[in-house]
Amino acid sequence: MPDPRYTALAALGAATVYEANGQRGAIDPAIKPLDPTSRVAGRAVTVRLEPADNWFIHVGLLHAGPGDVLVVDAGGYVEAGPWGDVLTLAAQQRGLAALVIDGAVRDSQDIVAAGFPVFTRGVCIRKTTKVQRGDVDIPVTIGGQLVRPGDAILGDADGLVVVPAAELDQAIASGQERERKENEMRRRILEGATTLDLLGLPQPS
């Protein structure tokens, strides 16, 4: 059964969770969704690849299951595309929620058409080999942020944020409280309050 905490996390959105959880965990904004309407949250299953090789992305896929986010450290290398439409289909068959890759993908339009959320640093048609060992289920660095197996990954059009597994419940609670406060601000703005008033900011003299 899906963990309802990830549903709650996704509903809050990346920006809210980042702000509410101490302004921590924001991944390099250069890693973007292929489809800007994507919104996803799930448990991280981590993979480290050697540049221009995708053997261990196939291995890592077998470690992931329904609702998981495959998080791939390709070292930021964008001169080859280790993920494409075939791996997308395989991921969907296993019930994965999304791919996050600090690297590149190919077959981007087919991936979007398939409805599978992919967050990537680039798109590249150049080939990969399948001979270099990588690693699975180890801490990796994605867009400047450490991601451990089991951490929560949240992504949408605003960006990506990682929440350590031990902080997930607190991050959701803090995010919901921030959302409540912002809804109250919206209500007061509709009643005529200014943002300066609400934030306690002075008018410049």
Side-chain angles (χ1 to χ4, degrees):
M1 182 161 179
D3 189 332
R5 295 180 299 173
Y6 295 122
T7 302
L9 200 67
L12 289 168
T16 294
V17 171
Y18 162 74
E19 290 285 353
N21 199 39
Q23 299 179 340
R24 294 177 293 121
I27 290 171
D28 185 350
I31 301 177
K32 299 180 182 299
L34 289 177
D35 179 356
T37 66
S38 297
R39 177 173 288 213
V40 68
R43 183 182 73 98
V45 174
T46 59
V47 179
R48 184 193 62 80
L49 298 181
E50 290 297 323
D53 192 281
N54 80 342
W55 176 17
F56 263 66
I57 213 168
H58 294 270
V59 175
L61 190 58
L62 299 182
H63 287 244
D68 290 340
V69 177
L70 196 65
V71 179
V72 179
D73 174 11
Y77 188 77
V78 294
E79 295 302 315
W83 183 279
D85 61 334
V86 172
L87 275 165
T88 294
L89 177 60
Q92 289 179 308
Q93 287 295 106
R94 295 188 65 82
L96 270 68
L99 168 75
V100 173
I101 181 168
D102 196 347
V105 301
R106 59 193 299 174
D107 305 322
S108 59
Q109 290 185 324
D110 291 334
I111 293 171
V112 172
F116 184 70
V118 167
F119 293 75
T120 181
R121 186 176 288 277
V123 175
C124 183
I125 62 174
R126 292 185 182 134
K127 70 176 183 178
T128 57
T129 58
K130 294 174 173 59
V131 296
Q132 298 187 75
R133 294 190 67 88
D135 294 289
V136 175
D137 287 331
I138 64 163
V140 296
T141 299
I142 302 291
Q145 291 293 332
L146 179 66
V147 179
R148 297 178 178 88
D151 284 350
I153 296 288
L154 168 61
D156 55 31
D158 287 334
L160 287 157
V161 63
V162 56
V163 178
E167 298 177 16
L168 179 54
D169 291 335
Q170 180 57 46
I172 292 169
S174 298
Q176 290 171 338
E177 176 60 16
R178 180 180 175 85
E179 190 172 64
R180 186 196 66 76
K181 290 180 179 178
E182 289 189 341
N183 284 337
E184 175 64 12
M185 289 180 68
R186 293 183 185 96
R187 184 189 67 78
R188 292 187 60 188
I189 287 169
L190 290 173
E191 292 176 350
T194 71
T195 52
L196 287 177
D197 294 335
L198 294 175
L199 295 172
L201 298 173
Q203 285 278 6
S205 56

